[in-house]
Amino acid sequence: MSTTTAEHTDHSHEHAHGHGLGERITHLSAKFGMWLFLGTEILLFGGLFAAYAIYRARYPEMFIEYHKGLDLTKGTINTFILLFSSFTMALAVLYAQRKEQAKTTLYLGITFLCGAAFAVMKYFEYSYKFEHHIYPDKNIFYAVYFMTTGLHMIHVFLGMGIILALIIMNQQGKFVRGRDTAVEVGGLYWHLVDLVWIYLFPLLYLIG
């Protein structure tokens, strides 16, 4: 009887160990996959930054003159919004790892609202330019401006979609049961969105 119990205990331990190892491998694989994806995104934006550098070196006066048409106040506010959203996203990851469902939802929700606030601010900024007939074909500076900020805005919307999915998953209790890898991976994506803007802001709004 004792031998059977011992064998059962050993099998249970092996099963638990195997399950834990499987989850660890899944976690590392997901993070590695996201890092690979982020690498391709960095290459994409890196190409745009290289194009920016080439055109700015070729037309320095144009860039200095036309950057004055950008709304520095709105750009600065959006910078602080995204910096704050990175902080709240980090808290969401932390509380997901601690299995605190309510706080995870709270900080994911705040991060989502920050993304929405950024989008609204950008909408007003774009609207002002369109009302004054400022389009991407106006000159090279505005072509670069709309291309880089437009692509970044697409990534903001994608990030908001990811965050919304994470909120739904969290409300379903998936992270409480130990499947919090998705929050960490989603957080990495959102931090990339923030990082790209940190580079775009001075390159476009603080020229000269």
Side-chain angles (χ1 to χ4, degrees), residues 19 23 96 99 169 173-183:
H19 181 68
E23 286 189 347
K99 318 305 179 195
M169 292 170 66
K174 293 185 177 181
F175 305 147
V176 176
R177 296 195 293 270
R179 302 175 183 176
D180 53 61
T181 300
V183 185

Side-chain angles (χ1 to χ4, degrees), residues 14 16 50 62 77 86 93 113 153 163 170 174 183 208:
E14 290 175 2
M62 177 189 293
I77 292 173
S86 265
V93 173
L113 291 177
M153 198 65 244
I163 293 170
N170 184 55
K174 293 185 177 181
V183 185

Side-chain angles (χ1 to χ4, degrees), residues 101-134:
Q101 187 176 11
K103 289 184 178 180
T104 302
T105 296
L106 172 64
Y107 288 109
L108 284 173
I110 293 174
T111 307
F112 181 88
L113 291 177
C114 286
F118 181 94
V120 169
M121 192 69 68
K122 207 67 192 165
Y123 167 78
F124 285 119
E125 193 172 355
Y126 280 165
S127 295
Y128 176 83
K129 291 175 177 57
F130 294 152
E131 288 173 4
H132 290 77
H133 307 289
I134 299 174

Side-chain angles (χ1 to χ4, degrees), residues 15 26 32 48 53 75 79 83 96 120 131 142 166 175 180-181 201 207:
H15 177 74
T26 300
F32 180 69
L48 291 177
T79 300
L83 286 174
V120 169
E131 288 173 4
Y142 281 114
L166 292 175
F175 305 147
D180 53 61
T181 300
F201 175 66
I207 298 176

Side-chain angles (χ1 to χ4, degrees), residues 9 12 24 27 67 73 88 108 116-117 124-125 130 141-142 162 177 191 203:
T9 301
S12 298
R24 180 64 177 169
H27 174 77
H67 97 281
T73 300
T88 57
L108 284 173
F124 285 119
E125 193 172 355
F130 294 152
F141 172 78
Y142 281 114
I162 290 172
R177 296 195 293 270
H191 291 318
L203 290 177

